[in-house]
Amino acid sequence: MSLRPLTLILLSSLLLIAQPTLDQALSQGDVQGNIKLFHYDIDRESGEDAYATALGGHLQYTTKTWNELYARVSFHTSNAVGPEKNKMATGLFNNDREGDALTAISSSFIGYRRNQRVLKVGNFRLNTPMMNDDTTRIVPWSYQGIAFTSTPRGGLRLQLNHIVQIRKNTSAEYNKESASGVIDDGITMLGVHYDLTDELSLFGFYYYAPELYDTLVTQADYKHPFDEQYFFCFGAQYFKSGNGGENVVTENRNGGDDIDLFALRSSFETENWEIGVNYSQNFGISGIVKGYGGLSKVFTSSMIANGRGNYKPETWMIKSRYDLPMTSFGYSELALNLTRTRVHDDRGDDFNAYYGHLRHHLTIETSLYIRYESIHFVDEKSDVDFLRIIASYDF
């Protein structure tokens, strides 16, 4: 079912309500955006290299709330500049049109806000474990449907979404194709977030996709302060899928009906540094790299390397971060990840990976982000290096 007629009716109603003070509503609306320069280089030993540079960003306008109704429109764009090779492999452009420039409407919805409850109808971005925007490129993923969020008292938050179409981050079109297959009748998600104590939070999500597969995701996060400076953090995750429909592919690396993944993370943290160890094992054949859209939020996730693949990967990851002292030139963050993945199925690939990044903020609005990861396969598969350099200005 298309939501376009319902969206147009709601938009017309909002304009009629706001018409007596339309100038005021427009002048008090909120405008946000950014400009990004994104260089991506993929260097493979096999010689199948890819590189490209994109210039783009996003612009978002949100109306003033009027009679508890508001509207938002935003678009993202990514345009090739400079030398390029096999640019479709970078995921920066419109792969529906052989890697042409990508300009997409990432949000266009009517919202209703009242008493800690928000209802959205139209196109919007999501932030859930198996459906999210994935901001690792200039253009994010986005979704079409209905989204409801309720935040009553007592640390409880409820989410209910029904998604009828999805737009990938390499496309300008909304359609019924998710990251792991066709969704003829859409995807319905129920999510619950509960802060049990000041230190312990619990999450639960259930995704119902009749033609694809259903997924249950549970997570617990614990953060205990030793004093004003030191914290011990611990988390646990479980992803379980099943009920495969007619469009499911069990061995899909992005998601299938045989996900059975358990993950743990632990860390010591201060305001300026952290070091931690994460672990996961997928006991199923299906992967969980993208789930239904975006990038699945599994603890053992680096820039490229991860424990979310298919063929029963078992992954250990050491993660560290250090914030350099503030200077007159801004402040910087350094990070290092070491990843070791071994599969328990002959069809998979064992590998070790080394990741590092430098994120430097010249000002609150201006930043430079340099990310590098090298993946070394234990078998004869070709090793590969990834480099991303991202300059951004927010306004």
Side-chain angles (χ1 to χ4, degrees), residues 117-243:
R117 296 173 176 86
V118 179
L119 176 67
K120 300 177 183 178
V121 180
N123 303 321
F124 42 78
R125 296 162 67 178
L126 289 175
N127 184 21
T128 77
M130 296 280 284
M131 301 181 79
N132 51 75
D133 49 8
D134 175 17
T135 56
T136 59
R137 303 295 192 275
I138 295 178
V139 180
W141 288 64
S142 53
Y143 305 85
Q144 182 181 102
I146 300 174
F148 174 73
T149 303
S150 177
T151 310
R153 298 176 182 178
L156 179 65
R157 184 175 185 228
L158 303 175
Q159 292 178 262
L160 180 61
N161 303 330
H162 180 66
I163 303 303
V164 295
Q165 295 195 102
I166 297 174
R167 186 195 56 77
K168 300 179 181 180
N169 64 346
T170 55
S171 175
E173 302 297 327
Y174 289 83
N175 55 49
K176 294 183 177 294
E177 182 73 27
S178 77
S180 51
V182 177
I183 51 165
D184 292 330
D185 291 333
I187 302 172
T188 302
M189 188 213 79
L190 173 64
V192 180
H193 171 196
Y194 182 54
D195 294 323
L196 187 62
T197 68
D198 291 340
E199 299 181 359
L200 179 61
S201 296
L202 305 175
F203 305 83
F205 299 86
Y206 185 75
Y207 300 84
Y208 173 66
E211 285 81 26
L212 207 51
Y213 59 92
D214 301 344
T215 309
L216 173 67
V217 181
T218 58
Q219 180 173 326
D221 287 323
Y222 176 74
K223 187 172 185 177
H224 176 70
F226 286 110
D227 54 34
E228 294 182 356
Q229 292 184 328
Y230 297 94
F231 295 87
F232 170 71
C233 300
F234 179 81
Q237 287 180 321
Y238 183 59
F239 293 74
K240 177 64 176 178
S241 70
N243 300 326

Side-chain angles (χ1 to χ4, degrees), residues 88-109:
M88 287 179 61
T90 65
L92 285 167
F93 309 108
N94 193 333
N95 286 359
D96 291 343
R97 299 186 177 182
E98 303 299 321
D100 288 347
L102 173 59
T103 299
I105 301 297
S106 48
S107 297
S108 55
F109 66 83

Side-chain angles (χ1 to χ4, degrees), residues 231-280:
F231 295 87
F232 170 71
C233 300
F234 179 81
Q237 287 180 321
Y238 183 59
F239 293 74
K240 177 64 176 178
S241 70
N243 300 326
E246 61 183 16
N247 299 325
V248 74
V249 178
T250 298
E251 297 180 16
N252 193 332
R253 66 187 295 272
N254 285 330
D257 60 345
D258 188 24
I259 302 167
D260 187 11
L261 186 145
F262 177 69
L264 299 170
R265 68 179 174 190
S266 61
S267 64
F268 288 97
E269 301 180 11
T270 73
E271 183 178 350
N272 298 322
W273 61 265
E274 68 178 83
I275 186 166
V277 177
N278 296 0
Y279 171 82
S280 71

